[in-house]
Amino acid sequence: MSTEHVLDRRPGGHARDLVRTTANKVPEVTAYFWIIKVLTTGMGETASDWLAHLLGPVPAVGLGGLGLVAALVLQFAVRRYVAWIYWTAIVMVSVFGTMAADILHVGLGIPYTLSTPLFMIALAAVFALWYATERTLSIHGIRTRRREVFYWAAVLATFALGTAAGDLTATVGLGYLGSAVLFAAAICVPALAHRAGVLGAVPAFWAAYVITRPLGASIADWMALAPHRGGLGLGLGPVTLSWTVAILALVGHLAVTRRDVRTA
């Protein structure tokens, strides 16, 4: 799905808009966007678990929270889209979003059957407030501070929802590989519905965006976890490192070529 059709229909020039940026703060949605997005979801899943095993749950959550705050502060400080800054923020949202879902399940004992709809309600609330305020959920016009706040709130909610949904399907009998196949099929639905003209670009984008989280996480878990848990047993550290290298390579390519920046 391209943002060529994700247009912002809200009239400009509103005096009450908060600080304006000079350009859209979100990259163009290309094939690179979806590939990197899936990689960040998987890397965030295994990195979160790896840090929890290495440091302990509490220090890992503290470190993840600090990393998320630092990344978002940097993202909000710049006045245009910068590939490495944006994707660093996405990675940290992925890591901390995983931790948030795990805290509810492991720390508080809340089952995935409950946390999944709770995160769904939270995401719906963000979307409702965003639309009520801006009259659009388009990512094509993230040029004000307020819209950027709504955008990142939605992103964080999608990651937490996707984590809970992926863990839910993995623990009800599908396993990690079965979950990956399920979500790989599911992500085709909004794309095909949009192509057929029965689903608008904005809802199609956000539906696919949510599904990338459990898709990437399921693939990464399948690769990393031990065979008795339904995985290949490659290990959390190696999978985290290899996916990080892939992310760095693709983001570096985009930083140089700027293929995800609108030129018109």
Side-chain angles (χ1 to χ4, degrees):
M1 278 170 282
S2 169
T3 53
E4 288 293 332
H5 300 94
V6 187
L7 299 180
D8 179 7
R9 294 184 173 88
R10 187 184 183 210
H14 289 256
R16 67 177 180 273
D17 280 353
L18 300 182
V19 179
R20 287 189 176 275
T21 59
T22 57
N24 195 35
K25 297 288 290 292
V26 177
E28 284 296 292
V29 181
T30 64
Y32 288 105
F33 178 92
W34 293 114
I35 293 171
I36 299 173
K37 176 63 168 59
V38 170
L39 288 171
T40 60
T41 64
M43 180 268 188
E45 176 76 14
T46 55
S48 174
D49 293 342
W50 180 63
L51 287 172
H53 282 87
L54 185 66
L55 304 176
V58 174
V61 170
L63 182 62
L66 288 174
L68 174 61
V69 170
L72 287 179
V73 166
L74 185 58
Q75 168 65 22
F76 275 80
V78 296
R79 295 179 62 81
R80 60 181 177 84
Y81 163 71
V82 179
W84 72 269
I85 294 176
Y86 173 86
W87 287 110
T88 296
I90 290 291
V91 165
M92 293 313 306
V93 169
S94 178
V95 172
F96 192 77
T98 301
M99 292 175 174
D102 289 344
I103 287 172
L104 289 181
H105 180 70
V106 179
L108 301 179
I110 298 175
Y112 293 125
T113 52
L114 180 57
S115 61
T116 299
L118 284 177
F119 285 128
M120 191 177 299
I121 292 170
L123 178 59
V126 172
F127 281 151
L129 184 58
W130 184 356
Y131 189 81
T133 304
E134 300 291 337
R135 310 309 300 173
T136 179
L137 299 178
S138 169
I139 67 163
H140 199 62
I142 309 300
R143 292 187 173 89
T144 69
R145 186 71 71 230
R146 184 169 59 198
R147 290 188 182 187
E148 196 171 9
V149 169
F150 281 129
Y151 173 79
W152 286 104
V155 167
L156 184 57
T158 65
F159 271 87
L161 169 60
T163 299
D167 288 337
L168 174 62
T169 59
T171 55
V172 296
L174 284 179
Y176 296 109
L177 180 58
S179 295
V181 173
L182 171 66
F183 292 116
I187 203 170
C188 297
V189 174
L192 293 175
H194 174 60
R195 183 177 292 273
V198 297
L199 186 64
V202 172
F205 168 82
W206 283 113
Y209 197 91
V210 170
I211 298 170
T212 57
R213 173 57 185 174
L215 172 60
S218 297
I219 296 172
D221 277 337
W222 172 65
M223 294 175 63
L225 298 180
H228 73 271
R229 297 182 61 186
L232 296 177
L234 299 180
L236 293 171
V239 171
T240 299
L241 178 61
S242 61
W243 285 48
T244 300
V245 170
I247 293 168
L248 290 173
L250 288 170
V251 172
H253 173 72
L254 292 178
V256 172
T257 63
R258 295 178 61 81
R259 292 191 175 185
D260 59 343
V261 178
R262 175 173 292 211
T263 55

